[in-house]
Amino acid sequence: MKKTFNYIASALIVATSLVGCTNLDETLYDQVASQNYYNTKSDVIRAVLRPFEHGYWSLQSRQVLNEETADQLITPTREDWWDDGGRWARLHRHQWLTTNGEAQSEYNGCFQGIMQANLVIEDLQNRSASRFGFTDTEFNNLKAQNRVLRAWFYIRLLDAFRNVPLAVSYYDTEKNSKGQVEPRKIYDFIESELKAVIPELTKKTSNGGNQNIQGQWTQAGAAALLVRLYLNAKVYIGEAHYDDCERVAQDILDGKYGSYSLADRWDAAFDWNNETCDEVIFAFPGSAGYSHWHYTGDMYWWSVPSRAKDWLKDTKNKQGDHNIKYSASPSYNPKGERYDFELGMPIARFKDYPSDVRLKKYKNLGNNKREGLFIYGKISYTDENGNPQYLKDHNGKYTLDLRDAVGRFGATDGDKWLASADSKLENGDDNSGWMFVKYPLYSDDETGQLEADYCEIRLPEVIYSLAECKLRKGDTAAAAKLLNSVRKRNYPSSDWSSALYQPEGTAQLNMKELLNEWGREFFAEGRRRIDLIRFDKFLSAWWDKPADADNHTLIFPFHRDIIGAAHGALKQNPGYHD
C-alpha cells in the first residue's frame, strides 16, 4: 500500500534512521546542508520528508503534556510500579517543576523540527523544478510542505508555552528573534504562512481514500490548522476569532479545500488501512516495517495491561512488552460510590449514552477487524497449550479485574469493593482504572499489525469546531445537527432517538455537554488540555486534584537547561521560579 507521497517509500528508511535528535545546536543531517546534496528527485524528496519523521516522533511529548495534565487519563502508582518520584502525580495535580523533563521535550522537539524545516525551506527556495524533473505544480507543493509543518510546530509551542522565540531561518540567524516575541507575533506568523501556502498544496479531488497523498499536507490539512488556530485564538492572544473559525470550517465541509466525508464507524480513522478512510485529513504514515511512533510507550503501547501480549498474541513486534501506564480517571471511589465531579469521570460520560458501541470490551475479531475501545473486568485468553487463562497483574500474583476506580484492589473480585473510600494516585494497583485501545493491537498473524497511520487531523475535528462556534453564538439547533452527524455512528440505529440532542431528541446540548462530547469523540487523542483551557475548566478541581491557586499553570515553564542555554535571551514564564 502507498503510505505517503507517490515517490517517497525509499526515503522512509533514511528518515527512520535519523530520528534520535536531542540537541538544538546539532548540525542537522549534514549531507542535506551541503550545497552539493540536491542532485536528483529522490534527494529532494528525502530532504522534504526528514522533518516530517521528526514531527511524527515528537508527538509523544505532546501526548504526555495534554493528557496527563488533564482530567481524563491518569497514571496511578501500580504498587511497586509507576511512582517515578511523583512525576505523574505532579502533572495530574498541576504541581510540575522547572526541572521536569516533559515540557523540555516538547520545547526541544518542536524547535528541532522548526530548524529542520527552515533548512529545507531555504535550500529549495531558489531551485527550479525542471532541474529535478518535477513540474512546477509538484515542486511548489513540495516547497510548501515544510512551511505548513513549521506552522504546525509553532501552534504546539504557542499552545504549550505562549512566549517563545520566532525562528524563520537556518542559515541567517539575524532573521530570527533575539529572544521571545509576544504570542500575537507567533499567531500572525502561523496565520499568514498557512494562508500563503494553501494555493500551492494538493487538493483532494474525490472520495476513495488518501492512498496517494497520505502523509503530506493538503489544502484541507492547512485549512484545518487555521480552524485549530482560530478556535483557540482567545486563549492564545486574548482575541476571539470564532467567526473566522466558522468560515474556514464551513469551507472545508463544503469541499472548497478537497473532498472528505465521515466514515460509517468510529474506528475507521484509526484502523490499519486508514489511508482508505475519507475522514482522515492529515496523518503521519506508520508501518510495521518502518516507523510507528504512536505504537510506543508514552502513547498507545502502554494503555493496556503489562502482560497483554499473552492475550493479544503480539509477541513478535519490535516494541517490547506492554506496560500498564495509562488508565481512565475513575468514576467511583474504592467503596463503589460514584463521584459527582463535573470534570473527569470519562467512563461515566460515555455511559451517559449506554448503548455507545465504543463501550464494548476491546476484542480482535480476526481478519484485521476489531470492536470496542475499552479494557475492563477480567480478560480471558487461551494459552499456547490451549488452556483457558486470565491475565494477571505485572507481578503475576492475582487475576486482573479492571474497574472504574483507583485503589489497592489486588485479588478482590470485581463485584466487591473495599471498606475505605480513600483514593489517590499513590494507592493504585493494576486493577485501577479502565484501559483502552485507540489504535488496534492486532496479533502477529494479522497483516494489519502496527500498520495504522497516526491520524493528526480528521473531519470530526472540523465539524466539532464548527458546532462549538455555532453554540457559542446561541445557535443550538445547528450545533446539535453538526454533532449528531458524527455521533450517529456510535449508537445502534434502534437506540438513536434516545441519543439525540435537542431539538431533535431528549438530551440537552449546552457548553458543559459540548465539552463532554469533545472528550468522548477525541478521547486520548492528545488534545484534552487545550479543550479544558478553552472552556475555562483547566484550573478546576477533579479527582485527586484541587483547584489551581492561580492561572500560571495554563502554560508550562521552560526547563532550567533551556533557560541556561539561551544565555539570558529567554525569560521564564510568569509564575515559575527555579
Side-chain angles (χ1 to χ4, degrees), residues 218-289:
T218 60
Q219 289 188 13
L225 290 183
L226 280 174
V227 169
R228 193 175 283 184
L229 183 72
Y230 290 144
L231 185 66
N232 295 294
K234 191 172 183 180
V235 173
Y236 296 155
I237 59 173
E239 182 179 299
H241 279 266
Y242 296 120
D243 288 344
D244 290 326
C245 181
E246 183 174 355
R247 172 179 49 81
V248 179
Q250 189 64 60
D251 284 344
I252 294 172
L253 296 187
D254 290 344
K256 178 178 178 179
Y257 300 111
S259 180
Y260 298 87
S261 61
L262 288 168
D264 60 1
R265 54 190 176 88
W266 74 267
D267 63 313
F270 312 105
D271 212 350
W272 71 282
N273 60 347
N274 55 359
E275 75 277 3
T276 67
C277 179
D278 288 306
E279 179 176 310
V280 176
I281 294 178
F282 177 78
F284 287 101
S287 173

Side-chain angles (χ1 to χ4, degrees), residues 58-71 73 87-88 90-92 94 96-97 100-110 156-157 159-161 298-299 325-326 525-530 532-533 538 542 553-557 576:
S58 74
L59 284 164
Q60 298 168 79
S61 59
R62 187 188 68 177
Q63 185 81 359
V64 170
L65 289 183
N66 282 353
E67 294 293 353
E68 290 276 8
T69 65
D71 64 327
L73 298 188
R87 174 183 180 184
W88 311 110
R90 284 194 297 272
L91 283 174
H92 181 79
H94 298 183
W96 46 79
L97 308 172
N100 289 156
E102 295 81 16
Q104 181 186 29
S105 296
E106 179 70 354
Y107 183 91
N108 285 347
C110 286
R156 288 170 57 182
L157 289 168
D159 178 59
F161 302 99
D298 271 327
M299 296 190 73
K325 181 180 183 181
Y326 293 112
E525 290 188 46
R527 64 170 295 134
R528 183 61 176 175
R529 170 184 154 271
I530 188 56
L532 289 175
I533 292 173
F538 186 68
W542 53 73
T553 54
L554 291 175
I555 55 177
F556 294 103
Y576 294 103

Side-chain angles (χ1 to χ4, degrees), residues 284-357:
F284 287 101
S287 173
Y290 297 113
S291 60
H292 36 267
W293 293 108
H294 53 305
Y295 283 114
T296 55
D298 271 327
M299 296 190 73
Y300 301 108
W301 199 248
W302 288 356
S303 65
V304 297
S306 58
R307 295 181 174 226
K309 67 178 183 181
D310 295 336
W311 161 50
L312 297 168
K313 312 298 183 187
D314 59 347
T315 60
K316 296 179 182 177
N317 60 70
K318 301 176 182 178
Q319 294 303 309
D321 288 344
H322 295 282
N323 200 326
I324 191 163
K325 181 180 183 181
Y326 293 112
S327 291
S329 188
S331 305
Y332 295 87
N333 70 25
K335 291 179 68 175
E337 301 163 334
R338 178 166 161 159
Y339 293 120
D340 61 356
F341 298 111
E342 176 184 350
L343 300 169
M345 302 172 58
I347 304 307
R349 298 286 80 83
F350 273 92
K351 287 183 176 180
D352 285 344
Y353 305 97
S355 61
D356 193 326
V357 298

Side-chain angles (χ1 to χ4, degrees), residues 117-169:
N118 284 340
L119 175 59
V120 177
I121 291 166
E122 291 179 299
D123 279 348
L124 298 183
Q125 202 164 32
N126 297 316
R127 287 179 163 86
S128 66
S130 59
R131 175 181 174 184
F132 303 106
F134 294 110
T135 66
D136 287 339
T137 299
E138 289 174 329
F139 200 52
N140 288 339
N141 175 47
L142 285 170
K143 289 193 293 183
Q145 291 298 317
N146 278 283
R147 292 177 69 183
V148 185
L149 188 69
R150 180 175 62 181
W152 175 76
F153 278 121
Y154 270 120
I155 290 175
R156 288 170 57 182
L157 289 168
L158 189 62
D159 178 59
F161 302 99
R162 218 79 84 232
N163 309 296
V164 296
L166 178 60
V168 298
S169 177

